[in-house]
Amino acid sequence: MAKRLKDIDSAERMFRYKALSYSGAGGVIGAVAFGYVGINPILGFAVGVAISYFTTMLLAESAASLVEKIHNPSGKSTPHRREYSRARAHQIRGEFEQAIASWELYCTEYPEDPEPYIELARLYRNELGDFENAVHWFKKARDESDIESGRALLATQEIIEVYTQKMDQPKRAIPELALLLEKWPGSPGVDVARQQLQDLRAQLARALER
């Protein structure tokens, strides 16, 4: 069973390393300038690197902020759909530990968006066969994000499917089936869910009588 990883952002860390390496040019300029006026060039190099690095980081942060304002100028309108490209790229390459770390970080950064939770749940289910974690993240998507009704229904159906088909623990699906019938009584397949719930309750009653 794969362990849940701590939130880490390898892409951001790599960007910081690159920014620091690019700052070497600023260090050279600083060393020349300080040497020209009779100040220790080593000090000039350090100052030049620092100025270049923090300027690069500030510009990157400002650019990200500008993009967000362009997509969501009022702060109240519906934001653009996030791509989550870093996590998807790791997943496509089969780098599942890195993908998990990226998806978990996205869940932390955008707790209102159900997409990272659902993608993480499906990764655990489909790629790792870790069904407990799959259920965990489906439930977080449904119960903790700003998920719309249709996707909440789908998450519930996927939880039921994991319990009944993947884990062979249909009794654990009883509360989920009851929830589905209560919250989405007119959804497609509701008659099948109702019959499934009745059958499971009958099985449980017979087991208790023994």
Side-chain angles (χ1 to χ4, degrees), residues 19 123 174 185:
L123 188 158
I174 290 177

Side-chain angles (χ1 to χ4, degrees), residues 82-100:
R82 300 183 182 92
E83 296 299 328
Y84 300 117
S85 56
R86 183 169 65 250
R88 297 188 193 283
H90 284 310
Q91 197 162 331
I92 289 171
R93 292 195 294 265
E95 300 166 352
F96 298 133
E97 289 190 353
Q98 294 92 324
I100 289 170

Side-chain angles (χ1 to χ4, degrees), residues 132-148:
E132 289 289 354
N133 264 324
V135 168
H136 169 80
W137 289 103
F138 277 131
K139 288 183 177 180
K140 286 181 74 71
R142 184 188 64 194
D143 302 336
E144 299 183 19
S145 71
D146 296 337
I147 194 169
E148 62 270 24

